Amino acid sequence: MVDILQLATANLVSPVILCFALGLVAALARSDLSVPEAAAKALSIYLLFAIGFKGGVSVAGYGLDGTLILTLLLGIALSAVLPLIAFYLLQVLSGLDRLNAAAVAGHYGSISIVTFVAATSVLEKYGIASEGYMVAVAAIMEAPAILSALWLVSRGSDSSARMDATLWREILLNGSIVLLVGSFLIGMATGEDGLKEIESFIVSPFKGVLCLFMLDMGLLAGRSLAKSRKSISIGLLAFGVLMPLIGASIALPLGFALGLSSGGTVLLMVLSASASYIAVPAAMRVALPEADPGVYLTLSLGVTFPFNLTLGIPLYVAAANFLFS
Amino acid sequence: MVDILQLATANLVSPVILCFALGLVAALARSDLSVPEAAAKALSIYLLFAIGFKGGVSVAGYGLDGTLILTLLLGIALSAVLPLIAFYLLQVLSGLDRLNAAAVAGHYGSISIVTFVAATSVLEKYGIASEGYMVAVAAIMEAPAILSALWLVSRGSDSSARMDATLWREILLNGSIVLLVGSFLIGMATGEDGLKEIESFIVSPFKGVLCLFMLDMGLLAGRSLAKSRKSISIGLLAFGVLMPLIGASIALPLGFALGLSSGGTVLLMVLSASASYIAVPAAMRVALPEADPGVYLTLSLGVTFPFNLTLGIPLYVAAANFLFS
Amino acid sequence: MVDILQLATANLVSPVILCFALGLVAALARSDLSVPEAAAKALSIYLLFAIGFKGGVSVAGYGLDGTLILTLLLGIALSAVLPLIAFYLLQVLSGLDRLNAAAVAGHYGSISIVTFVAATSVLEKYGIASEGYMVAVAAIMEAPAILSALWLVSRGSDSSARMDATLWREILLNGSIVLLVGSFLIGMATGEDGLKEIESFIVSPFKGVLCLFMLDMGLLAGRSLAKSRKSISIGLLAFGVLMPLIGASIALPLGFALGLSSGGTVLLMVLSASASYIAVPAAMRVALPEADPGVYLTLSLGVTFPFNLTLGIPLYVAAANFLFS
Amino acid sequence: MKAYKAKRVEIIIETPMQSRLTDALVKAGVTGYTLLPVLGGQGRSGPWTREGEVSRAGGMTMVLCIVRQEKLDTVLDTAFAIVEKHIGVVSVTDCDVLRAERF
Amino acid sequence: MKAYKAKRVEIIIETPMQSRLTDALVKAGVTGYTLLPVLGGQGRSGPWTREGEVSRAGGMTMVLCIVRQEKLDTVLDTAFAIVEKHIGVVSVTDCDVLRAERF
Amino acid sequence: MKAYKAKRVEIIIETPMQSRLTDALVKAGVTGYTLLPVLGGQGRSGPWTREGEVSRAGGMTMVLCIVRQEKLDTVLDTAFAIVEKHIGVVSVTDCDVLRAERF
Ligand SMILES: Nc1ncnc2c1ncn2[C@@H]1O[C@H](COP(=O)(O)O)[C@@H](O)[C@H]1O
Ligand SMILES: Nc1ncnc2c1ncn2[C@@H]1O[C@H](COP(=O)(O)O)[C@@H](O)[C@H]1O
Ligand SMILES: Nc1ncnc2c1ncn2[C@@H]1O[C@H](COP(=O)(O)O)[C@@H](O)[C@H]1O
Ligand code: NA
Ligand code: NA
Ligand code: NA
């Protein structure tokens, strides 16, 4: 227990978390502090590129072990199944109608890449190694959850989910997936030599860039909380905290059973515990326009994201530590 | 004297100054060279974050000495009083009406954070230490001057100054103050450990980023000079050069008396000598819409800023050196 | 021959090239991956500043040798004459009308600074030194080609080329020329001392930034290919590959005769071989509005740029190696 | 200068729907359209802004489409079918255009 | 497609005043508004551009507000009270809107 | 609120031509204009977008110019002379403005 508390405290006073807090406070105090949209997008391109590339280089170095395929399949399964659990939990905890519950559920099957990145840098700090291909697992977990969400809606009588080929292409070829997978492959192809060439761009300044991105995430989270506070009931709030714990608890034994390292298992837990706020919301606006973004964005960005960032990640690290030692 | 000249010359051939000069020349020659607005804002976020964070870390390291509170109070006093002097000087030197004179005066009580940043890197170059909390003094000096300016206007019969609660909130919670103070507190909380994590983002590339920002400042200064040359009389020009010298001369003995280090005193001089071009203009557009931005922006950005950058800072360093040794 | 192949292969698996390929594939697959306009411009400002500055520093270090003036004159001559050759070649290879042929020809006399930058980092990788002032040659080669293109048009009866003083100013003072020449002069003025101050900004992360810029170039090239595939005939395609080879072949003996180093000769070849996609297209929209951008942009960005990047540069290096050893 | 009567259709639509709308407009026979960025706004679903956003989900785009009067109904039907379930605003103004052959 | 008459009010206002204007418009009963970025321009106070700006002071924003005809006067009075002493432009156009219940 | 009749001229023009157009408009006697950014669009010359662009060549800018009715013809002639050989769109709408003395 002490261990967790220490981890959590150490985690809380890191620049990364405090930058998030600064953004949150600034937005709630209605400061006009803001990161230009183009700069925020540039920061996210940098982070995706760096994290994908480093994952690829690490795979090039240590080779692909047999568990890669299995972990990818597990990722798909988790992404597809977690929404069903989330949907059920939402009906127990909140009065959300089928449509909105399905939309929210879709977000929790998918993943938040910034939570993943934050977890990676916590692991690094404690010298815990992890499989480089977890980046590929992250990429593959983005989309299946959307399907599950639409299936959940289509079971209802008043089905209005719209899924067409264009939407499929948009989801599978959305910028962040393409960049993550692409830079992963580039990292694999160029290996350590490639890394050496661009190390002082993607490795050394990485954490500082993450700080600025977290500032922006804090601003977004604060703004969405300030705007949609009313649409988030106690039940939904409870969901936003419980669901990541459930996701992580499911991922933990599975990662262990599959033979992932303790670091890899933590990352799988983080992927399961985190909720999308980029790819899924965009898909939902097209496929389920009647669902209220105030609900799903606020839950994902304003509740679950900060929870994972502050308490979740140290908890998952401690739990994996416990199981693996 | 030789010392000052040397300092000034060495200062003038630094990449930071030359980048400013490049921007100035490009704008005056009507080149279409420009930095996108989003990029300029991103650069300023970086600079504010880095300077605040490093200030905080240095306070965490050396502790808060007793003079902090006094220096903050002194900062408030300087920011409030300098506009009165500026107002008087303007009436002596130029035919500016009360409204415009008050608006200009407000800019000179407040501060220019880029001038502050430029001074910091000159100090660093010469290995002159300064109090980390000067960053907090910079933040606290932003707003009081605005009040003084509005008070100066309200004394006139045709008062049209408008100050409401919203404007107050906007001034006190404006993005740059929040970011500067916030990152200062983050630096204080995380200390050297935090700095180590993000050092290669906020320390090593700092000066290079400053160069690009100065290029943009040069473009802005040049554009404002090209546009408003006519509205700047000889009297106003003299004011733009005299006022910083007066501000610095007032700050010098006060900093010394308060027991600030020589570096800290230089920074206090720079804060007093510099004129705002971000926070105050925005406030003036709301509170004194009839005042002409062509006058106050051109003076602040086109005259006083380059003066401080090129001649002022070395002069202040030399003066402090002289007094402290 | 083995040498070239090795060079080409090593070149192909570098992160820089693969990032270009990623962008190309993403655009052709119609992914929504994109770099915000402001970010792309910021990246290009960084690259121009860094390459100009480093060129200037290297001139400050090794001094200006007598060939500088001659090389500049040669650059002007190449830029002015290559369009004539290109124009003739286009009439042989394609059915392009006079107007469009002249517009395309203008692009090939001018230069692509990113190709130049990419070549520089290939040279660096192999430890091949080059004259720092080649940056100035790059700058001077931007504009003369535009004149030649307009002259080619004006010879036709239905002359509609419009060249006025404003356009002249726009071309000669266009942002990239001013920034390149300006930072070159700054580098010359501040020398190694200046470089040391900003080295960790403009040297270490350079290649990483280039990667992201190449990603964007790939996206642009892919988009322009996807859009204008139909307007590019086999003849034009052949031109897009032949013309750089011709340009480089002309530059090789001239660089050698002039006494340039082998690295400098490679850069001169690259400048001759590359086609503009920033300055010239903008000038053509004003001066030759009836020419089809789908033709000249696609050729320059979609055909010649990738050709130089992947096969051209290693070929030029190998050819210069052969001649100089 | 001879000017011709036409209709200026202005549609503010969620960014993720924009390509669907413009593809449909082109199918419906418009000769062109122009996209303008939108910074933020407010409506029944509350205020929003693009500042700091990474996702396209929350934003809106303005689609401006100038059409001949006789095409207006087709264009509005097309637009309506797409914006129907979505938030967004469609407005039509009379205008005069130069170079009528372009529309 | 049934369309309804409405008024399209377009206000170009200094960015630091934008939130005051839109707050006032909402109080005056408009159902929504849209903010468009402005790159630059020229007027009696000379030319300006947003390029490279860090401060919000020098820029302008376009506020677009579609209102029912009967609300127009209230909206214009509100707008005028705020832009009165400020630089900026207010224009009103007749327009037709779909989904009138939204306005 | 007293409003005055005026004309709202909206010109979508290639960015490299913008300064020529606005210089000419000012010479032709307009009291001001406003520049709006354009994200992308489609026309006879195909679709385009500003995303990732470094060159100004491929983009367009919207020039908005409110003029008194009596100046309209001069303004349109001026605009036409410049956009004539270029891609781009010119449209004119009737509008009411506040503060007529500004135009
Ligand atoms: N009356 C209006 N005038 C202008 N824009 C509006 C209006 N109503 C809504 N909008 C825009 O449409 C978006 C969605 O509106 P709504 O569907 O009412 O939430 C808003 O955020 C505004 O950008
Ligand atoms: N006639 C006009 N048409 C369009 N925009 C205008 C006009 N006059 C002024 N503006 C805009 O309003 C701003 C301020 O105008 P002014 O108050 O005349 O300086 C200008 O910079 C333009 O952006
Ligand atoms: N009917 C239209 N409505 C709105 N914008 C148009 C229209 N036609 C063309 N445009 C704009 O003008 C640009 C050039 O059109 P074009 O000259 O037809 O290629 C397009 O890319 C659009 O941005
Ligand atoms: Na998840
Ligand atoms: Na001051
Ligand atoms: Na060339």
Side-chain angles (χ1 to χ4, degrees):
Chain A
M1 257 330 265
V2 174
D3 215 15
I4 306 183
L5 277 178
Q6 272 186 338
L7 251 171
T9 325
N11 188 39
L12 285 180
V13 297
S14 81
V16 170
I17 306 289
L18 292 176
C19 280
F20 179 81
L22 174 57
L24 198 75
V25 169
L28 291 176
R30 286 188 297 146
S31 161
D32 71 348
L33 178 60
S34 71
V35 177
E37 181 182 2
K41 282 188 176 160
L43 291 176
S44 88
I45 288 175
Y46 171 88
L47 292 178
L48 288 167
F49 176 68
I51 197 89
F53 195 93
K54 286 185 276 188
V57 169
S58 119
V59 166
Y62 299 98
L64 283 171
D65 57 54
T67 45
L68 167 66
I69 304 288
L70 286 177
T71 319
L72 287 176
L73 290 176
L74 175 58
I76 296 179
L78 281 168
S79 175
V81 172
L82 287 173
L84 311 184
I85 301 176
F87 187 71
Y88 178 78
L89 190 63
L90 278 166
Q91 289 183 325
V92 172
L93 289 176
S94 79
L96 227 52
D97 59 282
R98 165 172 289 272
L99 190 78
N100 277 298
V104 171
H107 288 71
Y108 282 79
S110 187
I111 60 117
S112 146
I113 199 73
V114 198
T115 316
F116 181 83
V117 166
T120 320
S121 57
V122 169
L123 288 181
E124 247 164 45
K125 198 168 165 182
Y126 293 102
I128 307 174
S130 63
E131 285 78 7
Y133 56 66
M134 289 310 293
V135 162
V137 179
I140 216 165
M141 284 180 72
E142 284 228 35
I146 299 173
L147 263 194
S148 298
L150 298 187
W151 178 76
L152 283 168
V153 172
S154 69
R155 280 192 355 183
S157 54
D158 61 332
S159 165
S160 64
R162 278 172 269 170
M163 194 73 194
D164 54 21
T166 314
L167 184 55
W168 265 121
R169 211 203 54 239
E170 282 176 12
I171 293 171
L172 294 177
L173 291 181
N174 94 62
S176 46
I177 294 188
V178 168
L179 184 52
L180 197 60
V181 172
S183 52
F184 177 79
L185 295 176
I186 295 178
M188 264 182 68
T190 61
E192 282 295 328
D193 287 351
L195 183 60
K196 230 168 279 162
E197 290 190 48
I198 61 174
E199 197 156 29
S200 46
F201 178 63
I202 66 169
V203 178
S204 356
F206 186 79
K207 216 157 195 182
V209 177
L210 184 57
C211 282
L212 288 192
F213 193 70
M214 281 297 175
L215 177 70
D216 184 49
M217 295 292 300
L219 288 165
L220 294 181
R223 226 184 280 147
S224 103
L225 279 174
K227 176 179 160 186
S228 309
R229 229 179 320 218
K230 280 158 278 167
S231 41
I232 302 300
S233 63
I234 297 283
L236 282 175
L237 211 83
F239 170 83
V241 170
L242 267 179
M243 189 59 213
L245 294 175
I246 294 176
S249 310
I250 295 177
L252 175 59
L254 292 174
F256 185 76
L258 222 70
L260 285 178
S261 70
S262 105
T265 304
V266 168
L267 292 180
L268 192 69
M269 293 168 79
V270 165
L271 291 174
S272 306
S274 66
S276 172
Y277 63 86
I278 297 185
V280 181
M284 289 302 158
R285 288 317 298 149
V286 174
L288 300 179
E290 290 97 343
D292 180 3
V295 175
Y296 52 72
L297 269 182
T298 311
L299 269 180
S300 153
L301 202 56
V303 180
T304 299
F305 179 71
F307 170 74
N308 278 325
L309 201 62
T310 51
L311 302 178
I313 295 177
L315 203 66
Y316 312 150
V317 171
N321 249 3
F322 184 80
L323 184 65
F324 277 75
S325 62
Chain B
M1 259 328 266
V2 174
D3 215 16
I4 305 182
L5 277 178
Q6 272 185 339
L7 251 170
T9 325
N11 188 39
L12 285 179
V13 297
S14 81
V16 170
I17 307 289
L18 292 176
C19 281
F20 179 82
L22 173 57
L24 198 75
V25 169
L28 291 176
R30 286 188 297 146
S31 161
D32 71 347
L33 179 58
S34 72
V35 177
E37 181 183 2
K41 283 188 176 160
L43 290 176
S44 88
I45 288 175
Y46 171 88
L47 293 177
L48 288 167
F49 177 69
I51 197 89
F53 194 94
K54 286 184 275 187
V57 170
S58 119
V59 166
Y62 299 99
L64 284 171
D65 58 54
T67 45
L68 166 65
I69 304 288
L70 287 177
T71 319
L72 287 176
L73 291 176
L74 176 58
I76 296 178
L78 282 168
S79 175
V81 171
L82 287 173
L84 310 183
I85 302 175
F87 187 71
Y88 177 78
L89 191 63
L90 279 166
Q91 288 183 325
V92 172
L93 290 175
S94 79
L96 226 52
D97 59 283
R98 165 173 290 273
L99 190 78
N100 277 297
V104 171
H107 288 71
Y108 281 80
S110 186
I111 60 116
S112 146
I113 200 73
V114 199
T115 316
F116 181 83
V117 166
T120 320
S121 58
V122 169
L123 290 180
E124 246 164 47
K125 199 167 163 182
Y126 293 103
I128 307 175
S130 63
E131 286 77 7
Y133 57 67
M134 289 311 293
V135 162
V137 180
I140 217 166
M141 285 181 72
E142 284 229 33
I146 299 173
L147 264 193
S148 297
L150 299 187
W151 178 77
L152 284 167
V153 172
S154 69
R155 280 192 356 180
S157 54
D158 60 331
S159 163
S160 65
R162 276 173 270 170
M163 192 73 194
D164 53 20
T166 315
L167 183 55
W168 265 121
R169 210 202 56 239
E170 282 176 14
I171 293 171
L172 294 177
L173 292 180
N174 93 63
S176 44
I177 294 188
V178 168
L179 184 51
L180 198 59
V181 173
S183 51
F184 178 78
L185 295 176
I186 295 178
M188 265 183 69
T190 62
E192 282 294 330
D193 288 351
L195 184 60
K196 230 167 280 162
E197 290 188 48
I198 61 174
E199 198 156 29
S200 45
F201 178 64
I202 66 170
V203 178
S204 356
F206 186 81
K207 218 159 193 178
V209 176
L210 184 58
C211 282
L212 288 192
F213 193 70
M214 282 297 175
L215 177 71
D216 184 49
M217 295 292 300
L219 289 165
L220 294 182
R223 226 184 280 147
S224 104
L225 279 175
K227 176 180 160 185
S228 309
R229 231 178 318 218
K230 281 157 277 167
S231 41
I232 302 298
S233 63
I234 298 284
L236 282 175
L237 211 81
F239 170 82
V241 170
L242 268 179
M243 189 58 212
L245 294 176
I246 294 177
S249 310
I250 295 177
L252 175 59
L254 292 174
F256 185 75
L258 221 71
L260 285 179
S261 69
S262 105
T265 303
V266 168
L267 293 180
L268 192 69
M269 294 168 78
V270 166
L271 290 174
S272 306
S274 67
S276 171
Y277 63 86
I278 298 186
V280 181
M284 289 302 157
R285 288 317 298 148
V286 174
L288 300 178
E290 290 96 345
D292 180 3
V295 175
Y296 52 71
L297 269 181
T298 311
L299 269 181
S300 153
L301 203 56
V303 180
T304 300
F305 180 71
F307 170 74
N308 278 325
L309 201 62
T310 51
L311 302 179
I313 294 176
L315 204 64
Y316 311 149
V317 170
N321 249 1
F322 183 77
L323 185 64
F324 276 75
S325 62
Chain C
M1 258 329 265
V2 174
D3 216 15
I4 305 182
L5 277 178
Q6 270 184 340
L7 251 170
T9 325
N11 188 39
L12 285 179
V13 297
S14 82
V16 170
I17 306 289
L18 292 176
C19 281
F20 179 82
L22 174 57
L24 198 75
V25 169
L28 291 176
R30 285 189 297 146
S31 162
D32 71 349
L33 179 59
S34 71
V35 177
E37 181 183 1
K41 283 187 174 160
L43 291 176
S44 89
I45 288 175
Y46 171 89
L47 293 177
L48 288 167
F49 177 69
I51 197 89
F53 194 93
K54 286 185 277 187
V57 169
S58 118
V59 166
Y62 300 97
L64 283 171
D65 57 54
T67 45
L68 167 66
I69 304 288
L70 286 178
T71 320
L72 287 176
L73 291 176
L74 176 57
I76 296 178
L78 281 168
S79 175
V81 172
L82 287 173
L84 311 184
I85 302 175
F87 187 71
Y88 178 78
L89 190 64
L90 279 166
Q91 289 183 324
V92 172
L93 289 175
S94 77
L96 226 50
D97 59 283
R98 165 172 290 272
L99 189 78
N100 277 297
V104 170
H107 288 71
Y108 281 79
S110 186
I111 59 116
S112 147
I113 199 73
V114 199
T115 316
F116 180 82
V117 166
T120 321
S121 58
V122 169
L123 289 181
E124 246 164 46
K125 197 167 163 182
Y126 293 103
I128 306 174
S130 63
E131 286 78 7
Y133 56 67
M134 290 309 295
V135 163
V137 180
I140 217 166
M141 285 180 72
E142 284 228 34
I146 300 174
L147 265 194
S148 298
L150 298 187
W151 178 78
L152 283 168
V153 173
S154 69
R155 282 191 355 182
S157 54
D158 60 333
S159 165
S160 65
R162 279 172 267 171
M163 193 72 194
D164 53 21
T166 315
L167 183 55
W168 264 121
R169 212 204 52 241
E170 282 175 12
I171 293 170
L172 293 177
L173 292 179
N174 94 61
S176 46
I177 294 187
V178 168
L179 184 51
L180 198 59
V181 172
S183 52
F184 178 78
L185 294 176
I186 295 179
M188 264 183 68
T190 61
E192 282 294 330
D193 288 350
L195 184 60
K196 230 169 279 162
E197 290 189 48
I198 60 173
E199 197 156 28
S200 46
F201 178 64
I202 65 169
V203 178
S204 355
F206 186 80
K207 217 158 194 181
V209 177
L210 184 58
C211 282
L212 288 193
F213 193 70
M214 281 298 175
L215 177 70
D216 184 48
M217 295 292 300
L219 288 165
L220 294 182
R223 227 184 279 147
S224 104
L225 279 174
K227 176 179 159 185
S228 310
R229 229 178 318 217
K230 280 157 277 166
S231 40
I232 303 300
S233 63
I234 298 284
L236 282 175
L237 211 82
F239 170 82
V241 170
L242 267 179
M243 189 59 211
L245 294 174
I246 294 176
S249 310
I250 294 177
L252 175 59
L254 293 173
F256 184 76
L258 221 69
L260 284 178
S261 69
S262 106
T265 305
V266 168
L267 293 181
L268 192 68
M269 294 168 78
V270 165
L271 290 174
S272 306
S274 67
S276 172
Y277 63 86
I278 297 187
V280 182
M284 290 301 158
R285 287 318 296 150
V286 174
L288 299 179
E290 291 97 344
D292 180 3
V295 175
Y296 51 71
L297 269 181
T298 311
L299 268 181
S300 153
L301 202 56
V303 180
T304 299
F305 179 72
F307 169 74
N308 278 324
L309 200 64
T310 51
L311 302 178
I313 295 177
L315 203 66
Y316 311 149
V317 171
N321 249 2
F322 184 79
L323 185 64
F324 277 74
S325 63
Chain D
M1 193 55 37
K2 177 98 187 72
Y4 308 82
K5 297 258 163 264
K7 295 284 184 178
R8 181 184 182 279
V9 183
E10 186 178 273
I11 307 172
I12 302 171
I13 192 173
E14 297 181 82
T15 305
M17 292 303 294
Q18 172 250 303
S19 62
R20 283 172 180 75
L21 173 65
T22 46
D23 287 353
L25 289 176
V26 170
K27 257 194 215 137
V30 310
T31 56
Y33 58 82
T34 297
L35 304 175
L36 302 180
V38 177
L39 275 186
Q42 178 159 339
R44 295 169 312 155
S45 36
W48 62 276
T49 161
R50 287 298 308 153
E51 287 288 347
E53 287 294 342
V54 175
S55 171
R56 296 176 312 138
M60 309 201 78
T61 300
M62 183 184 282
V63 179
L64 183 66
C65 187
I66 296 176
V67 296
R68 285 164 180 272
Q69 302 199 327
E70 55 267 31
K71 277 196 211 148
L72 183 65
D73 279 339
T74 331
V75 165
L76 287 187
D77 288 343
T78 309
F80 187 71
I82 285 173
V83 300
E84 196 191 348
K85 300 205 169 180
H86 287 269
I87 64 176
V89 171
V90 181
S91 73
V92 183
T93 319
D94 289 319
C95 72
D96 293 323
V97 292
L98 303 185
R99 309 197 281 187
E101 70 284 4
R102 307 210 153 196
F103 300 96
Chain E
M1 194 54 39
K2 177 97 187 73
Y4 308 82
K5 297 257 164 263
K7 294 284 182 177
R8 181 183 182 280
V9 183
E10 186 178 272
I11 308 171
I12 302 171
I13 191 172
E14 296 181 83
T15 306
M17 292 301 295
Q18 172 250 303
S19 62
R20 283 171 180 75
L21 172 63
T22 46
D23 287 353
L25 289 176
V26 169
K27 258 196 213 135
V30 310
T31 56
Y33 58 83
T34 297
L35 304 174
L36 301 181
V38 176
L39 275 186
Q42 178 160 338
R44 294 167 314 155
S45 36
W48 62 274
T49 160
R50 287 298 307 154
E51 287 288 347
E53 287 293 344
V54 175
S55 171
R56 296 175 313 138
M60 309 201 78
T61 300
M62 182 183 283
V63 179
L64 182 66
C65 187
I66 295 176
V67 296
R68 287 164 179 272
Q69 302 200 326
E70 56 267 31
K71 278 196 211 149
L72 182 64
D73 279 338
T74 331
V75 165
L76 287 187
D77 288 342
T78 309
F80 187 71
I82 286 175
V83 301
E84 197 190 348
K85 301 205 168 180
H86 287 269
I87 64 176
V89 172
V90 182
S91 72
V92 183
T93 319
D94 290 319
C95 72
D96 293 324
V97 291
L98 303 185
R99 309 198 279 188
E101 71 284 3
R102 307 209 153 196
F103 299 96
Chain F
M1 192 55 39
K2 176 98 187 71
Y4 308 81
K5 297 258 163 265
K7 294 283 185 180
R8 181 184 182 280
V9 183
E10 186 179 271
I11 307 171
I12 303 171
I13 192 173
E14 295 181 83
T15 305
M17 292 302 293
Q18 171 250 303
S19 61
R20 284 172 178 76
L21 173 64
T22 47
D23 287 353
L25 289 176
V26 169
K27 258 196 215 135
V30 310
T31 56
Y33 58 82
T34 297
L35 304 174
L36 302 180
V38 176
L39 276 186
Q42 177 160 339
R44 294 168 313 156
S45 36
W48 61 275
T49 161
R50 287 298 307 153
E51 288 287 348
E53 286 294 342
V54 175
S55 171
R56 297 176 313 138
M60 309 202 78
T61 299
M62 183 183 283
V63 178
L64 182 66
C65 187
I66 296 176
V67 297
R68 286 165 179 272
Q69 302 200 327
E70 55 268 31
K71 278 195 209 148
L72 183 64
D73 279 339
T74 330
V75 165
L76 288 187
D77 287 342
T78 309
F80 187 71
I82 286 174
V83 301
E84 196 191 348
K85 299 205 169 179
H86 287 268
I87 64 176
V89 171
V90 182
S91 72
V92 182
T93 320
D94 290 319
C95 72
D96 294 322
V97 292
L98 303 185
R99 311 196 279 186
E101 72 283 4
R102 309 210 151 195
F103 300 96

